[in-house]
Amino acid sequence: MEDELYRPIFSKLSRSVPMTAEERSALRALPIQPRLFPRRTEILRQGESPSQSCVLVRGHLCRRKQLPNGRRQILSFHFPGDIPDLQCLHLPELDHSLHSLEESLVGFIPHKSILQVMREFPRIADALWRQMLLDACIFREWIANMGGRAGYERIAHLLCEQTIRSQALGIDGRYPLFFNQQDLAEASGMSPVQVNRIIQSLKSDGLFSTEGQFYQTPDWNGLLRAAEFDAAYLNLETPRTPERNA
Amino acid sequence: MEDELYRPIFSKLSRSVPMTAEERSALRALPIQPRLFPRRTEILRQGESPSQSCVLVRGHLCRRKQLPNGRRQILSFHFPGDIPDLQCLHLPELDHSLHSLEESLVGFIPHKSILQVMREFPRIADALWRQMLLDACIFREWIANMGGRAGYERIAHLLCEQTIRSQALGIDGRYPLFFNQQDLAEASGMSPVQVNRIIQSLKSDGLFSTEGQFYQTPDWNGLLRAAEFDAAYLNLETPRTPERNA
DNA sequence: CGGCATGTTGAATCTAATCAATCCACGTGG
DNA sequence: CCACGTGGATTGATTAGATTCAACATGCCG
């Protein structure tokens, strides 16, 4: 129903700034045009100048950059409630593309409507600003991850991040395996072969396991330790209860 | 004199959004407290929660992250007019530190004043928002650079970026060598030894040369080619077009 | 059943990290 | 004026980690 369209963005925004009834209804008045994308589909193309922003309702997306040398780099993964292209609200053209990783439901909102709501409700503007900052925090952490950690730790770190972000959505124990090893390779800047070997080590070290379209973290604290993971950069004030565990 | 304090930020902001006289005087009314830092000094510490933002007036800065494994990662370089910690305006604590690379003059502005001006002058808010987005563009390009390019190209790319940003300030021909090889290593995620060898190759390939505290690019197009550099992500020349009225 | 996407493996190769010296330019103080 | 200290750049030798290529396995789905 229509509720499904607004719930993810509501809960994401109000996680950073509690909202009044008035603000909620202003958000709900935003015209959102839903569109369903099959898995592994291009949603926005590098170089485009969209006049709408989009919010992810269901599924998982990634942002990706195409390099002239033929390599592709994944810049971020996205979960329901994310607004991946707040990034281009004031920029002339998109410096990256947006793809679905699974079948995903995406809602489009005209820039004009967003700007209008921001003008009228400064707290909503603040909340959106804050979302952008959180995005940038993750970018910075990725830079540090790629520049400062060796393969094993780097992959572990990626897995920690995705796991925590799933947890923030209330998922626990079994997490959706929305990425494959090729994706991890493109996200970490390593070859698929190397990623495969690292994943195997992680599994045999008891830090990671898969089962169908889900993965688990049999030793969550061990994984955190291996990754040197400090969740502070995600700024999720919903601090996770550390051990759901088996 | 006071002019020096405001000129860099003026010219930076008005490069993205032309300003009315009223907006200019609103900016000039911002209380800026100047402070001079010697070279290689910590300006903001990772974990702090400053209540002021700062604008770089003269010199060069870098943002840096300290990893638990002891390595340090440089996240960005900064030029006069930059506002490095717009990033933390709405965030509880700083995820990185800020350092001077040379002797630098930095102006501090209370968050409160900035927020107030933004509320009162939406176009200034837009201009600041846009600065943040540009920052994020550079982060993304760095991720792609580190993940998708080998050493030689990666260093060439870093050099291209810094050169273009110097050019945007009107410098031409001889550029300030505000970074050393250790800095390039920390920025590129490589060892100082490797950076040294790459710099030597670049020099012997006629793409880069140094002379005292300056460097030159004897074959600028060659350097661009070696780096696969596409300046689009810096969004320098393109003024804004889109629909920002309502 | 066949086709396709994904994951797995081995071997050869190469890039970059590491360690440990050394060198050089420059500024300082005796 | 020279000795010295320092920060930065340079070098060679060795090793670890990652890439590449090519092949093969597996599971899913029409």
Side-chain angles (χ1 to χ4, degrees), chain A residues 50-200:
Chain A
S51 62
Q52 318 189 309
S53 274
C54 64
V55 51
L56 176 55
V57 178
R58 178 165 36 83
H60 289 88
L61 312 181
C62 72
R63 285 192 272 204
R64 173 187 283 161
K65 233 178 206 241
Q66 178 73 50
L67 298 198
N69 64 11
R71 296 187 59 143
R72 299 189 308 188
Q73 176 69 37
I74 289 183
L75 303 167
S76 59
F77 293 113
H78 289 286
F79 292 71
D82 287 358
I83 312 176
D85 64 343
L86 266 191
Q87 299 289 338
C88 68
L89 197 49
H90 284 82
L91 292 185
E93 71 175 45
L94 218 45
D95 64 328
H96 58 270
S97 58
L98 186 65
H99 295 258
S100 67
L101 292 171
E102 314 167 312
E103 178 179 275
S104 299
L105 184 60
V106 176
F108 289 89
I109 313 174
H111 284 170
K112 239 195 290 194
S113 314
I114 297 184
L115 291 169
Q116 199 178 330
V117 168
M118 282 174 51
R119 188 110 333 140
E120 212 171 327
F121 297 91
R123 281 160 44 90
I124 291 182
D126 287 353
L128 291 177
W129 180 290
R130 188 162 188 276
Q131 287 311 312
M132 284 212 19
L133 292 177
L134 294 184
D135 255 32
C137 280
I138 296 180
F139 287 143
R140 287 193 290 274
E141 185 68 23
W142 278 42
I143 291 176
N145 194 33
M146 304 187 63
R149 276 188 269 261
Y152 187 87
E153 295 77 28
R154 196 186 305 175
I155 296 294
H157 192 278
L158 268 177
L159 294 175
C160 284
E161 181 186 301
Q162 308 324 312
T163 304
I164 296 236
R165 292 177 73 187
S166 279
Q167 289 174 353
L169 296 178
I171 300 169
D172 204 9
R174 283 166 80 247
Y175 307 99
L177 194 56
F178 57 87
F179 47 83
N180 60 27
Q181 295 185 357
Q182 173 73 36
D183 296 327
L184 290 180
E186 288 182 16
S188 65
M190 309 198 309
S191 71
V193 172
Q194 182 67 0
V195 167
N196 177 276
R197 289 174 174 141
I198 289 171
I199 292 286
Q200 287 179 51

Side-chain angles (χ1 to χ4, degrees), chain A residues 65 69 119 141 148 228, chain B residues 65 69 140-141 228 244:
Chain A
K65 233 178 206 241
N69 64 11
R119 188 110 333 140
E141 185 68 23
E228 297 185 324
Chain B
K65 231 176 207 243
N69 64 11
R140 288 194 290 273
E141 185 68 24
E228 297 184 326
R244 107 110 266 97

Side-chain angles (χ1 to χ4, degrees), chain A residues 192-212:
Chain A
V193 172
Q194 182 67 0
V195 167
N196 177 276
R197 289 174 174 141
I198 289 171
I199 292 286
Q200 287 179 51
S201 316
L202 285 167
K203 283 180 176 172
S204 78
D205 292 348
L207 302 180
F208 182 73
S209 68
T210 62
E211 203 188 314

